[in-house]
Structure formats: structure tokens, C-alpha cells
Amino acid sequence: MAERMTYLLVDGENIDATLGTSILGRRPRPEERPRWDRLLEWAERAFDQDVTGLFFLAATTELPTSFVQALLAIGFKPIPLSGEGKIVDIAIQRTAEALVDREADVVLVSHDGDFVDQVSALADGSRQVGIIGFTEFVNAQFRSLPGVRIFDLEYDLGAFNSALPRTRVIPIDEFDPLDFL
């Protein structure tokens, strides 16, 4: 049997849309996007095991060949998808459902509440489960799932080369008044 590993499931469109719409107020420039290699490196350190990074892409009109090549070069497995509807969400949901039967840890990179049922099924106590995103935009239903840890893409992972224009929302269990006095 293979050694236990971590699966990193990336909904890049969701992260990009949140970054553009909710944080920058415009389409992100390449240098403003996350450094995806840092997510793989962080997950290996945080979970102390090998990581398989699956990056789901909607390729309904044109495959972003240079981006796919860059993902391959840093160690991701790009998964280009075509079809109607929310194809990336459907593929991530199916992948998460398949992982329920594996001895593996799982980290979802998305804010999307469409994955709450799948993440809930994974959070069965037999594995580590995490959500990575901008914490203030992560769907609130993830916070109520026992055992699911939420990590901030900017503050916890350091996935950006420069600070983003946002104010960090402090979870109450991390609040220390001495930081402000």
C-alpha cells in the first residue's frame, strides 16, 4: 500500500475571481496572482508528507498552454475540463467524493460553498482537512465543520510577492488586545 499523502485541490478560477472582484476591484495582473508553487511547498511542510496538487481548469474555449506548462513545471497536475455548467466545481466535487475512500489528507483551495457537503464527508476524523483562501471570503459553512482548518492564502501561506490591499479580519480565538495597545 502507498504511503499516506495530501491532495491539494485547487479551484483557481474561484481564487482569481475573489482576488479580482473582492480585493483588487479589477482583473489581477500576473504578478498579483498567487505563487502556486508556494502552496505545494506549504502543504508538504504543514502535513509532513508528499503532496499531489490537482489544478482544475475550465478549458471550454481555449487551453491556456503557457499556464498549463508552468503548472506542470512546478509540480501540479493540471486538469483541463470542457463541458457545460460549473465544470470545475463538478470535477472537484467528484474528486473529493473519491478521496473519502482513501487514506489521505485533503486541502481545498477555494471559498466556494458548493463543496461543503464533500468537505464535511472528508472531515470524518480519519484525516486532516483544510481550506485555503482569503479567510474573510471563505464560505461560513466551512467554519462549522469539526476538524476543518482554514488557512489564509496571504497571511498563513505567504503566497504573494507583495501585500494585497486588504484588512485582515482577525478570528476571535487569535485576537490579542496587546497587539493593539
Side-chain angles (χ1 to χ4, degrees), residues 115-157:
F115 307 118
V116 169
D117 290 342
Q118 290 77 22
V119 171
S120 178
L122 287 165
D124 60 3
S126 71
R127 73 188 86 240
Q128 297 181 78
V129 179
I131 303 290
I132 295 174
F134 300 106
T135 54
E136 65 268 35
F137 298 108
V138 169
N139 187 286
Q141 292 180 2
F142 288 122
R143 298 181 197 292
S144 65
L145 299 177
V148 174
R149 296 186 299 165
I150 298 175
F151 304 97
D152 190 276
L153 194 56
E154 181 180 16
Y155 299 118
D156 296 325
L157 274 72

Side-chain angles (χ1 to χ4, degrees), residues 6 8 38-49 51:
T6 300
L8 184 66
R38 293 183 191 167
L39 275 74
L40 289 171
E41 294 165 2
W42 174 87
E44 281 190 4
R45 284 191 317 273
F47 292 85
D48 195 28
Q49 59 196 10
V51 174

Side-chain angles (χ1 to χ4, degrees), residues 12-119:
E13 292 176 341
N14 177 271
I15 298 299
D16 204 54
T18 302
L19 177 61
T21 304
S22 301
I23 296 173
L24 298 173
R26 58 176 167 72
R27 183 180 171 96
R29 294 187 294 270
E31 67 273 11
E32 294 172 320
R33 289 191 164 99
R35 307 293 79 161
W36 297 111
D37 56 322
R38 293 183 191 167
L39 275 74
L40 289 171
E41 294 165 2
W42 174 87
E44 281 190 4
R45 284 191 317 273
F47 292 85
D48 195 28
Q49 59 196 10
D50 290 338
V51 174
T52 296
L54 304 177
F55 202 109
F56 298 84
L57 299 157
T60 52
T61 54
E62 181 180 318
L63 185 64
T65 307
S66 59
F67 184 60
V68 168
Q69 290 171 342
L71 288 171
L72 286 166
I74 61 176
F76 272 98
K77 291 181 181 180
I79 303 175
L81 302 158
S82 67
E84 296 295 319
K86 298 173 98 177
I87 56 176
V88 167
D89 288 7
I90 292 166
I92 291 173
Q93 288 168 335
R94 288 180 184 171
T95 303
E97 289 164 0
L99 288 171
V100 167
D101 296 327
R102 290 197 181 203
E103 289 187 25
D105 300 316
V106 181
V107 180
L108 172 65
V109 184
S110 181
H111 306 96
D112 198 336
D114 288 347
F115 307 118
V116 169
D117 290 342
Q118 290 77 22
V119 171

